[in-house]
C-alpha cells in the first residue's frame, strides 16, 4: 500500500472518485465527484462533478484540474495514479 511519506510534494498526483453512490440532485440528476490529490501532502487540488451517464470527465474538466495543480507549484508530477 502506498503512503504519503513515500512521496515528495508534486511527485505524484492521485485522481479518484470520491463517492461510492451517485450524488443525487433534484434539478440536474446524478453525479460522481472526481478529485485530484497530491500524494505527499494529501492536498485536494480540485474536483469536478461528472454526470453519472458519462463514463469519464470531459477533456475540459480534466484540463481545469491540471491547471489548478500547475498553478500551485508551476510543474506537473512525474506520476499520475488513477
Amino acid at each position: 500500500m502506498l503512503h504519503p511519506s513515500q512521496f515528495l510534494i508534486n511527485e505524484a498526483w492521485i485522481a479518484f472518485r470520491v463517492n461510492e453512490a451517485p450524488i443525487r440532485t433534484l434539478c440536474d440528476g446524478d453525479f460522481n465527484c472526481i478529485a485530484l490529490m497530491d500524494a505527499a501532502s494529501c492536498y485536494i487540488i480540485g474536483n469536478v462533478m461528472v454526470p453519472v451517464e458519462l463514463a469519464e470527465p470531459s477533456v475540459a474538466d480534466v484540463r481545469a484540474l491540471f491547471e489548478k495543480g500547475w498553478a500551485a507549484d508551476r510543474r506537473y508530477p512525474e506520476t499520475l495514479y488513477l
Side-chain angles (χ1 to χ4, degrees):
M1 173 156 3
L2 298 175
H3 191 272
S5 64
Q6 295 173 262
F7 301 97
L8 299 172
I9 300 292
N10 261 345
E11 178 183 357
W13 291 347
I14 303 167
F16 61 98
R17 187 173 77 183
V18 175
N19 55 302
E20 288 185 24
I23 298 168
R24 296 183 175 258
T25 68
L26 292 176
C27 296
D28 298 316
D30 298 344
F31 292 86
N32 286 315
C33 180
I34 307 298
L36 184 64
M37 179 178 79
D38 178 71
S41 65
C42 298
Y43 174 77
I44 301 293
I45 295 165
N47 66 359
V48 293
M49 302 299 282
V50 180
V52 169
E53 52 273 353
L54 298 180
E56 58 194 27
S58 70
V59 171
D61 286 338
V62 172
R63 182 172 285 126
L65 281 176
F66 275 80
E67 286 174 358
K68 286 180 186 177
W70 172 266
D73 200 21
R74 300 298 225 187
R75 65 182 182 141
Y76 291 115
E78 297 174 15
T79 305
L80 176 65
Y81 292 98
L82 301 176

